[in-house]
Amino acid sequence: MTASIIDGKAVAASVRARVGEAAKALTAAHGAAPALAVVLVGEDPASKVYVRNKVEQTEAAGMRSLEHKLPTDTTEEAVVDLVARLNADPEVDGILVQLPLPKHISSDRVIAAIHPDKDVDGLTEASAGRLVLGQPGLRPCTPAGCVILAEETLGDLSGKHCVVVGRSILVGKPAALLFLEKNCTITIAHSRTADLAAVCQTADILVAAVGRPEMLTREHVKPGACVIDVGINRVPAPEKGEGKTKLVGDVDFASASEVAGSITPVPGGVGPMTIAGLLRNTLLAACHRRGWDVPEGV
């Protein structure tokens, strides 16, 4: 068996296209486009690339992007004050604070300052509480992207057994709750799980979110399973030359592909879904805040 490749780029492009059509319709109907405020503190090269991509894709989807670039020595109070102003600004629908922040700034405090109705990353305590309670709210982008990819691949997820390997608050825990919302049976596995391979082999859907390169192999995969690899790990690539690196997931793609029914590649799998989810959340936040009907198909 050779697994079919789950094309995250294509699925993300479809999500972005639907969001773009919806944003265009909302702007025409109400005379205002959904707006995302992005806060970048410092000069971290990777963060600057991420922010540039988010800004470009926000504007490409027909929404407004409001950039706030702050120097590295900006105080924690100044960042919190900026978030408070964005919370109060009726023209801002979503707020994204790019992480990581400089070491002298508490990420927890800054994230906690974001109003949950504008929390497009779904990271605040209020957003997490709404997810746990099954109340409407903005869901974390990466875990939500995992669910979308699984649905695109398998269709109705009801009754499927989903094993999530990893219990982080960013991916593992919210992913488990989001698959539970789809009527999956959920197992959360982690570093202390006894006989991890045996547990993983029960999964119709295996979500790898442990942050350890190629930790899960074919021995962890049930024949025909859908494997969603959230990991993004940079490792040495001597085959490319001295000092060269490559990106790999938390799953050993080559061996797992021999057993799985479908699998996400790294890169090009879950990653593209994160920004697509951010755009979708911005549009949903705008509709909720402004009392607009959510367009069909979003």
Side-chain angles (χ1 to χ4, degrees):
M1 173 185 290
T2 301
S4 63
I5 305 302
I6 302 172
D7 189 345
K9 291 181 180 178
V11 177
S14 176
V15 172
R16 294 198 309 271
R18 294 196 299 270
V19 169
E21 287 298 316
K24 181 179 178 181
L26 290 172
T27 302
H30 304 286
L36 172 65
V38 181
V39 178
L40 174 64
V41 185
E43 299 294 330
D44 180 79
S47 291
K48 292 171 76 172
V49 171
Y50 292 147
V51 166
R52 184 173 70 247
N53 289 340
K54 290 168 182 174
V55 168
E56 289 175 354
Q57 292 196 31
T58 300
E59 294 175 347
M63 297 188 287
R64 291 191 299 138
S65 179
L66 309 171
E67 285 186 86
H68 296 268
K69 296 181 180 179
L70 306 176
T72 304
D73 61 358
T74 301
T75 65
E76 182 177 303
E77 289 299 329
V79 179
V80 172
D81 286 347
L82 172 58
V83 169
R85 293 197 302 275
L86 296 174
N87 283 338
D89 188 341
E91 297 302 311
V92 172
D93 297 298
I95 300 171
L96 172 82
V97 178
Q98 181 64 44
L99 302 178
L101 291 168
K103 292 182 179 180
H104 67 280
I105 299 175
S106 167
S107 298
D108 288 345
R109 185 182 175 208
V110 172
I111 296 302
I114 299 173
H115 193 287
D117 289 346
K118 298 188 178 186
D119 175 27
V120 288
D121 257 341
L123 297 180
T124 63
E125 290 182 5
S127 295
R130 290 174 178 179
L131 174 57
V132 171
L133 295 174
Q135 295 179 351
L138 300 171
R139 306 311 195 203
C141 301
T142 300
C146 294
V147 175
I148 293 172
L149 290 175
E151 285 186 313
E152 288 285 333
T153 305
L154 301 176
D156 182 16
L157 303 183
S158 182
K160 303 290 188 185
H161 183 202
C162 177
V163 175
V164 179
V165 186
R167 50 183 168 177
S168 72
I169 59 171
L170 296 178
V171 179
K173 289 178 181 178
L177 290 165
L178 288 168
F179 276 102
L180 186 62
E181 283 189 343
K182 297 296 182 179
N183 298 313
C184 290
T185 299
I186 303 299
T187 298
I188 302 179
H190 45 78
S191 60
R192 303 292 181 88
T193 298
D195 200 349
L196 178 63
V199 173
C200 291
Q201 284 175 8
T202 67
D204 302 308
I205 304 166
L206 179 62
V207 180
V210 289
R212 291 178 58 184
E214 300 178 326
M215 173 182 169
L216 304 184
T217 66
R218 61 177 295 149
E219 285 73 29
H220 296 82
V221 180
K222 174 183 176 180
C226 174
V227 178
I228 307 293
D229 190 352
V230 185
I232 301 179
N233 309 283
R234 190 167 290 281
V235 299
E239 69 276 9
K240 293 184 176 182
E242 185 176 353
K244 298 294 185 179
T245 62
K246 62 181 178 181
L247 290 178
V248 300
D250 292 348
V251 176
D252 177 18
F253 184 85
S255 70
S257 296
E258 297 173 354
V259 183
S262 54
I263 188 169
T264 58
V266 176
V270 175
M273 297 299 296
T274 300
I275 294 182
L278 174 70
L279 302 180
R280 181 174 181 272
N281 275 351
T282 300
L283 186 133
L284 293 174
C287 291
H288 175 73
R289 289 187 56 254
R290 299 172 186 258
W292 298 343
D293 291 333
V294 178
E296 290 187 14
V298 176

